[in-house]
Amino acid sequence: MRNMRWVLIMCLFLAFSLRIEAFKLHRPQINERISGSAGDVLEDDPVGRLKVFVYELPSKYNKKILQKDPRCLNHMFAAEIYMHRFLLSSPVRTLNPEEADWFYTPVYTTCDLTPNGLPLPFKSPRMMRSAIQLISSNWPYWNRTEGADHFFIVPHDFGACFHYLEEKAIERGILPLLQRATLVQTFGQRNHVCLNKGSIMIPPYAPPQKMQAHLIPPSTPRSIFVYFRGLFYDVGNDPEGSKMCMLIGARASVWENFKDNPLFDISTEHPTTYYEDMQRAVFCLCPLGWAPWSPRLVEAVIFGCIPVIIADDIVLPFADAIPWEEIGVFVDEKDVPKLDTILTSIPIEEILRKQRVLANPSMKQAMLFPQPAQPRDAFHQILNGLARKLPHDSSLFLRPGETILNWTAGPVADLKPW
């Protein structure tokens, strides 16, 4: 009976695939413009709408750290490095701090990697405190707002909470000195202590040139229904080296329910054809792991594979510009056992529309940090987010002698000199 069930499922998928191809033959495959105001926002040009002053810090906060470990250039947290480089030559940069709308402090807090390439954020709070002490002592601009007109790139798993384990990150909370600043971070989960109101969500870094090298003809049939490569159970993936086996709820549920389902091409193996396979798939699973997000979200969008987002309460990158509901499928973590029914129930017309919107070049560009920068890329989306927060409310500026932040708050270890 079980074999007959899988035969029936495969016949249904074959019929599904043939119907999709038939629709494609009878409908012109054009890139669909993003509907509503989101499309206009995505194509905004931030140049002329804001000016950014970049603090010149000693190289120990950035360049020397990178020289010590160049692997940081290709890490998923590399946005902090590339944003710094972009701003140094950007037309929004001003050398006159008196005319600046925003102030940027280039600190590479995630460029401290284990031999296996996993980031260790334990020095990050002291490094950040040290940088803030430096700019507040040498320039007057931090002190007039206590950072309310400053932004920081904090791309680690749980942003400025600076820990890779969620329970520890929650216990720590956001570094007290960053409570008034705008945080540009990859982590986003509604009603979470590691997400400040007003933070700008960005995609994790994915190497644009590497993905470009694996593009296949867009006419290639999407013969894989559901695709995923990655861990289902996390064994020993602790940056501190402890031996642990953590059950990853949603991922484990995917494996337990669909490991033998022929509609699901899922495995822990990471083949050399990984990028090509995503371009042959209709749906790409993007379940939460250590954090709610992963680079799979970027990869799915770039390769036109409809992302299936399994991460309750996630706040997605550039949500005011990218219409995630139009391009993705959202599945509650508790509904993972019904994933096959959910996906096979989506009308073909809706799938084709999502694919057309995904094919919009602006959609893909917004997810990337290319070198050199290009119009409407992730760099420009960050600037757009900052520009939309202008002008600053006068209440952000403190009265003479007024202070809000507590410089001695936080864990005792964070107060040690860096």
Side-chain angles (χ1 to χ4, degrees):
M1 287 294 293
R2 186 175 183 182
N3 289 338
M4 288 299 296
R5 178 171 177 260
W6 293 140
V7 169
L8 178 61
I9 289 174
M10 289 305 293
C11 289
L12 289 173
F13 178 55
L14 179 60
F16 174 88
S17 301
L18 290 173
R19 288 179 66 195
I20 283 185
E21 293 306 314
F23 265 94
K24 287 181 178 178
L25 287 173
H26 291 92
R27 292 176 178 267
Q29 292 302 295
I30 57 174
N31 299 333
E32 188 149 325
R33 191 185 186 281
I34 300 163
S35 63
S37 60
D40 298 323
V41 172
L42 194 62
E43 296 178 10
D44 278 351
D45 184 356
V47 176
R49 298 169 56 213
L50 77 166
K51 293 183 178 180
V52 177
F53 179 76
V54 179
Y55 286 112
E56 292 188 21
L57 300 186
S59 60
K60 70 175 185 176
Y61 291 99
N62 39 64
K63 294 178 182 177
K64 281 190 176 179
I65 296 175
L66 179 58
Q67 289 170 0
K68 181 181 176 182
D69 197 339
R71 292 179 301 167
C72 298
L73 286 169
N74 296 307
H75 204 278
M76 71 176 76
F77 304 133
E80 62 183 0
I81 298 170
Y82 290 111
M83 190 66 187
H84 182 202
R85 292 182 174 183
F86 163 72
L87 285 172
L88 290 177
S89 58
S90 171
V92 306
R93 184 188 182 191
T94 178
L95 299 178
N96 178 7
E98 292 296 331
E99 65 178 18
D101 300 297
W102 288 99
F103 296 81
Y104 167 63
T105 308
V107 185
Y108 299 171
T109 57
T110 65
C111 189
D112 184 12
L113 308 180
T114 67
N116 293 331
L118 299 172
L120 291 169
F122 308 120
K123 298 177 184 176
S124 303
R126 291 188 292 129
M127 184 191 307
M128 189 66 81
R129 281 180 56 87
S130 175
I132 293 172
Q133 287 172 334
L134 180 67
I135 63 174
S136 65
S137 300
N138 290 278
W139 289 273
Y141 308 105
W142 172 274
N143 297 318
R144 67 184 185 180
T145 67
E146 287 196 324
D149 54 356
H150 288 55
F151 69 94
F152 294 82
I153 313 295
V154 284
H156 199 267
D157 282 348
F158 293 97
C161 286
F162 295 125
H163 208 287
Y164 59 89
L165 292 177
E166 184 173 15
E167 60 270 25
K168 295 288 187 180
I170 291 173
E171 182 182 319
R172 288 186 50 84
I174 291 173
L175 187 72
L177 292 185
L178 293 178
Q179 289 288 353
R180 287 173 58 82
T182 289
L183 303 179
V184 179
Q185 58 187 99
T186 42
F187 168 79
Q189 191 171 358
R190 286 187 291 274
N191 305 315
H192 199 286
V193 299
C194 297
L195 178 64
N196 261 354
K197 182 181 179 181
S199 294
I200 296 174
M201 297 297 105
I202 64 172
Y205 176 78
Q209 293 82 0
K210 182 179 178 181
M211 290 190 288
Q212 183 73 26
H214 288 266
L215 289 176
I216 62 177
S219 59
T220 304
R222 291 190 177 269
S223 55
I224 301 170
F225 189 61
V226 180
Y227 188 76
F228 177 79
R229 290 294 183 272
L231 293 174
F232 298 99
Y233 300 91
D234 199 1
V235 181
N237 194 28
D238 185 340
E240 294 184 271
S242 65
K243 296 297 180 183
M244 58 186 295
C245 180
M246 182 177 69
L247 178 70
I248 304 180
R251 294 195 188 190
S253 183
V254 168
W255 179 252
E256 296 299 333
N257 284 281
F258 304 110
K259 59 187 175 184
D260 297 322
N261 188 323
L263 290 181
F264 283 67
D265 189 344
I266 59 176
S267 172
T268 57
E269 301 295 326
H270 205 289
T272 56
T273 58
Y274 173 68
Y275 285 154
E276 288 83 357
D277 292 343
M278 293 188 84
Q279 295 169 80
R280 297 186 180 98
V282 178
F283 296 105
C284 289
L285 301 185
C286 301
L288 77 166
W290 283 80
W293 58 269
S294 81
R296 290 175 190 81
L297 189 65
V298 177
E299 295 160 349
V301 171
I302 297 304
F303 294 131
C305 186
I306 298 171
V308 181
I309 299 162
I310 309 170
D312 295 352
D313 298 319
I314 190 172
V315 181
L316 291 163
F318 308 133
D320 54 351
I322 295 178
W324 289 103
E325 295 286 348
E326 291 187 37
I327 65 172
V329 175
F330 291 81
V331 176
D332 291 343
E333 294 169 35
K334 66 178 176 57
D335 291 333
V336 167
K338 299 183 289 185
L339 195 54
D340 54 347
T341 303
I342 292 170
L343 297 180
T344 54
S345 299
I346 299 174
I348 291 175
E349 194 57 71
E350 183 178 342
I351 290 174
L352 291 173
R353 169 164 168 72
K354 289 181 184 294
Q355 290 175 336
R356 290 195 299 269
V357 179
L358 273 171
N360 188 306
S362 295
M363 186 73 65
K364 302 176 188 299
Q365 195 68 8
M367 300 296 285
L368 294 175
F369 295 90
Q371 305 297 309
Q374 300 173 14
R376 299 185 297 277
D377 63 14
F379 299 117
H380 290 85
Q381 299 308 323
I382 293 172
L383 294 181
N384 280 335
L386 292 169
R388 286 192 286 273
K389 294 166 78 70
L390 296 175
H392 294 299
D393 191 277
S394 60
S395 63
L396 296 180
F397 294 85
L398 305 181
R399 296 184 298 272
E402 182 184 9
T403 59
I404 295 176
L405 299 178
N406 182 355
W407 283 76
T408 60
V412 175
D414 290 358
L415 307 182
K416 296 178 181 178
W418 179 72

